[in-house]
Amino acid sequence: MEKNEYALDYILQAEYNLLRKQFIPGIIVIPSGKSNLIWNGVHFVSQGPYEGGVFRFSIIIPPTFPDGDCPKVIFMSSIYHPQINVDTGELDIKRYFPVWKRNGHHLWQVLRYIRRIFQKIETTNSVNVDAANLYEQDPGIFLSKISECVNQSKDNLYTPEPSTTDDPHAILFTPWSDKLQNVRQLLLTGKKVNKSNCSISYIIFHLIRKHFLILIPIKRRIALHKAFDNIHGLSWMKPGVYQILTREDTLPSHQN
């Protein structure tokens, strides 16, 4: 049985607030502007065999959440991995959450599992048997296939996903503009500068919507979207490294 819309909004708001208290390096996630039941995400892999990959994904939340079935994780690009379906891009989430427990499991734990699969390769009960066998029998060729996935993710970095073109909360990547250097410097150091020798990229995503509109039921958000059309939040990456710049002293005190 599907939950009342307002009750489900409240539950998802609580889940998102829990997520914001976690330190999950390399992952950006934000609820879709079209539905609370879809969360857009990007994972910047910083270590392990998939290091350097920038993989977009969606979390599909069942309307009965947190009761019933597990959320689904769908990767937007082709990823050669034993635990990711090669045809659909779906991660085998039930491997880690065989039964979704209402009071024991949360969406931030799903994000931690996403990080884990790219750092530690497990081949038992794989959904991509070919990848599992190749990992066990010929690691060299397996790594070459992984390298293709990583390079493809970088090549497609600035290409929006067709499924999110009409989503006001889509996470977009755009080449760096020098006009934003002062903004970057102010956010990172609190000091304005007029010149820069930096060459970096930035991510545009709707920060105001992330922290404000998530508190409002989906039907009431639509009227507010136009008011935020020109408001964006910013984040940065080093060129060729694809790692988000983060200051440890800006983390919540319980995470330092």
Side-chain angles (χ1 to χ4, degrees):
M1 178 178 178
E2 295 188 5
K3 291 188 178 346
N4 174 278
E5 177 185 356
Y6 293 100
L8 183 57
D9 277 337
Y10 180 83
I11 291 170
L12 293 175
Q13 173 189 332
E15 282 290 324
Y16 195 70
N17 287 337
L18 281 175
L19 185 155
R20 291 173 59 191
K21 295 177 181 179
Q22 304 299 318
F23 180 45
I24 308 178
I27 289 185
I28 295 174
V29 67
I30 180 171
S32 166
K34 298 189 295 183
S35 170
N36 272 354
L37 298 176
I38 302 174
W39 289 15
N40 302 319
V42 179
H43 180 24
F44 300 79
V45 185
S46 60
Q47 61 183 15
Y50 293 84
E51 181 177 352
V54 184
F55 302 123
R56 290 182 172 93
F57 63 88
S58 293
I59 299 178
I60 313 298
I61 303 167
T64 56
F65 185 86
D67 301 308
D69 207 0
C70 297
K72 293 183 179 180
V73 175
I74 309 293
F75 286 93
M76 301 294 103
S77 59
S78 176
I79 303 177
Y80 195 74
H81 191 287
Q83 302 307 327
I84 298 176
N85 187 296
V86 68
D87 296 317
T88 65
E90 182 175 353
L91 172 64
D92 183 15
I93 199 74
K94 289 190 176 182
R95 177 187 182 87
Y96 196 74
F97 303 96
V99 177
W100 187 265
K101 299 178 181 179
R102 177 187 178 94
N103 297 319
H105 294 151
H106 299 283
L107 294 176
W108 65 264
Q109 294 169 317
V110 172
L111 298 181
R112 293 220 180 236
Y113 180 56
I114 291 173
R115 289 192 75 243
R116 173 181 170 177
I117 68 160
F118 291 108
Q119 296 174 0
K120 182 180 180 181
I121 307 298
E122 297 178 350
T123 58
T124 57
N125 300 320
S126 300
V127 295
N128 186 339
V129 178
D130 289 340
N133 290 339
L134 197 60
Y135 176 81
E136 296 286 353
Q137 299 170 12
D138 198 331
I141 296 180
F142 179 80
L143 291 176
S144 69
K145 287 184 174 291
I146 286 180
S147 180
E148 292 176 6
C149 295
V150 170
N151 291 334
Q152 184 181 37
S153 74
K154 295 177 182 179
D155 292 340
N156 296 333
L157 187 62
Y158 301 130
T159 304
E161 289 295 327
S163 61
T164 61
T165 53
D166 61 341
D167 188 344
H169 292 189
I171 301 174
L172 305 177
F173 296 81
T174 310
W176 169 254
S177 168
D178 289 337
K179 294 180 181 179
L180 295 172
Q181 177 58 24
N182 281 348
V183 179
R184 169 188 176 273
Q185 193 69 17
L186 180 62
L187 289 175
L188 293 181
T189 68
K191 299 178 181 179
K192 293 184 177 180
V193 296
N194 294 320
K195 297 181 180 180
S196 172
N197 293 322
C198 296
S199 174
I200 55 184
S201 301
Y202 75 95
I203 309 160
I204 294 182
F205 61 99
H206 294 255
L207 187 61
I208 296 299
R209 288 183 176 131
K210 174 180 178 182
H211 293 291
F212 177 64
L213 294 182
I214 185 60
L215 306 179
I216 301 173
I218 187 68
K219 290 183 179 178
R220 295 174 58 193
R221 294 184 200 172
I222 299 174
L224 296 173
H225 278 161
K226 292 183 179 180
F228 294 95
D229 281 345
N230 296 318
I231 301 178
H232 301 82
L234 305 176
S235 181
W236 291 268
M237 298 178 298
K238 296 180 180 180
V241 178
Y242 301 98
Q243 292 180 358
I244 305 172
L245 298 179
T246 305
R247 285 173 48 187
E248 291 293 333
D249 59 359
T250 63
L251 297 177
S253 58
H254 70 280
Q255 295 171 355
N256 286 335

